[in-house]
Amino acid sequence: MSRIGRMPIDVPAGVTVKLDGPVITVKGPKGELTRTLHQDMKVTIQDNVITVERPTEEKNHRALHGLTRALVANMVQGVTEGFKKELEIVGVGYRAQMKGAKLALTLGFSHPLELDPPAGISVECPSATQIVVSGINKEHVGEFAAKIRGYRLPEPYKGKGIRYAGEHVRRKAGKAGTKK
C-alpha cells in the first residue's frame, strides 16, 4: 500500500473543502484552489479529515494514489500557509529589482529582462541578490521560480548564475596550465 496515499489529510479550522465528483475545491484564508482529480480515485471527507482510496492494486492506480493525496494536501497547505521559493543571484553585476509589478533582472545580457509574474504569484526582492517567489499554488510557484532560474543557470567554474537558496553548486577545477 502507498505510504503517502494512505495518510489522512487534516483540514484546519477556517478551511472549507467541497467535493463535486472529480472536482475538489479548497477555500481558505489565503484564497481558493480548484482541481480536477482522476476519476478512478475515491476521495472522502469525514470529520475534517480527507482520505484518498484506490479501487484496485493495478500499477496505474498505485501511482495515482500517492499523487492524488499529495495534490490535495498541497492545496490545503497552500490556502492556509502558502508556498515560497527563494532564489539567490551570484555574479558581479548580476542583480534583481522590482519595477512596479514587474521583476527586472540584470544578468549580463545586452538588455535587462523584465518578467511579469503570473496571476496568483507575488515576487519580492529583499536585496539586489535575492528573489522570493510566493503564492498559494505550489506548481505555479515552482514553475515561475524555475523560469527565473533558467535565464542564467549556475555555472560550475565560477558559480555565477541564479540558484535556489541553499542549493549546492558542484564546482569544477579550471585549466591547470601547461608546463614547458
Side-chain angles (χ1 to χ4, degrees):
M1 179 126 193
S2 169
R3 286 185 232 160
I4 299 293
R6 68 179 172 205
M7 293 170 55
I9 304 164
D10 293 326
V11 180
V15 175
T16 59
V17 180
K18 193 170 76 173
L19 199 58
D20 184 27
V23 178
I24 187 166
T25 304
V26 181
K27 190 184 290 188
K30 290 196 176 263
E32 180 178 345
L33 291 173
T34 303
R35 168 175 237 113
T36 302
L37 303 173
H38 196 277
Q39 63 269 12
D40 290 351
M41 294 296 110
K42 183 183 174 196
V43 180
T44 56
I45 306 165
Q46 290 180 344
D47 303 326
N48 286 340
V49 175
I50 304 171
T51 55
V52 180
E53 296 172 5
R54 61 178 180 233
T56 66
E57 291 295 318
E58 289 180 26
K59 188 174 185 178
N60 187 33
H61 288 157
R62 290 197 320 258
L64 285 170
H65 190 202
L67 171 72
T68 304
R69 190 263 177 209
L71 291 173
V72 174
N74 286 341
M75 290 172 73
V76 171
Q77 183 181 349
V79 297
T80 53
E81 303 165 22
F83 294 99
K84 74 176 182 178
K85 287 269 189 184
E86 296 179 14
L87 299 160
E88 297 172 343
I89 301 176
V90 177
V92 176
Y94 291 6
R95 63 184 174 273
Q97 63 185 13
M98 295 302 295
K99 286 189 177 176
K102 292 186 177 188
L103 174 66
L105 298 171
T106 306
L107 300 173
F109 298 124
S110 61
H111 57 284
L113 295 168
E114 289 192 356
L115 302 174
D116 281 324
I121 301 294
S122 64
V123 180
E124 301 169 4
C125 291
S127 71
T129 60
Q130 289 181 316
I131 304 169
V132 178
V133 180
S134 57
I136 63 171
N137 192 325
K138 187 174 187 176
E139 289 177 55
H140 294 163
V141 169
E143 189 177 327
F144 191 65
K147 180 180 177 182
I148 294 170
R149 183 178 180 268
Y151 283 110
R152 190 63 88 178
L153 295 171
E155 58 97 18
Y157 295 100
K158 292 184 179 177
K160 294 167 60 171
I162 302 174
R163 61 180 80 171
Y164 296 114
E167 178 183 2
H168 175 70
V169 176
R170 196 147 177 228
R171 302 291 294 272
K172 291 183 177 178
K175 291 196 294 188
T178 57
K179 290 186 178 181
K180 293 186 178 183

